[in-house]
Amino acid sequence: MRLSRSLAPVTVAVCLVLSLPYDAMPHARVTDRQDTAAPEEPFGAECRTEVRGSRVVAHCHNPYADTDRVRLHIECDRWWDLDTDGTPADVGPARTVRLTGRCWKEVRSAWVSHQKR
């Protein structure tokens, strides 16, 4: 009797594993050679963001050939202070733009988003 009790959970586990659908079984990942043939070109302006009190200034320089549309986002620290999303600015090749924004009081965080044009 004791042997059958210890084998019962093992038998159930083996039956469950064997009854898994084929898609749920792990398999080796195969990479497609067409995907690796063309590497992506570098993209995106390099942005420096500086917070001074309640004001935010970001300078973005684009060293690449494609135009980058950048936008400054500011999250304010106080619950009543409105978070802002600045207007988008296009940064052409070898160009620099300055983005500014502010909160009424303290700034919690600020970042710049990028969009390929």
Side-chain angles (χ1 to χ4, degrees):
M1 257 333 196
R2 214 165 207 170
L3 183 61
S4 65
R5 278 188 176 176
S6 64
L7 285 179
V10 173
T11 306
V12 170
V14 168
C15 289
L16 287 174
V17 168
L18 292 177
S19 66
L20 283 175
Y22 179 74
D23 292 338
M25 303 273 300
H27 56 278
R29 185 176 185 111
V30 179
T31 58
D32 190 10
R33 290 194 185 268
Q34 293 175 354
D35 292 342
T36 59
E40 286 190 33
E41 292 188 25
F43 169 77
E46 298 173 14
C47 297
R48 293 184 326 254
T49 306
E50 183 179 346
V51 177
R52 287 187 181 170
S54 64
R55 297 188 182 275
V56 179
V57 177
H59 292 90
C60 295
H61 175 72
N62 185 8
Y64 302 115
D66 292 332
T67 300
D68 185 7
R69 176 169 277 178
V70 293
R71 184 180 221 174
L72 179 63
H73 306 275
I74 302 172
E75 184 178 340
C76 300
D77 198 30
R78 307 290 175 124
W79 66 269
W80 47 263
D81 205 349
L82 296 176
D83 299 338
T84 58
D85 296 323
T87 56
D90 291 335
V91 186
R95 306 286 266 170
T96 302
V97 297
R98 181 176 185 251
L99 307 169
T100 60
R102 67 181 297 267
C103 293
W104 283 102
K105 290 284 187 176
E106 300 87 12
V107 174
R108 178 175 293 168
S109 63
W111 67 94
V112 177
S113 63
H114 303 265
Q115 180 183 9
K116 202 168 194 173
R117 286 244 351 172

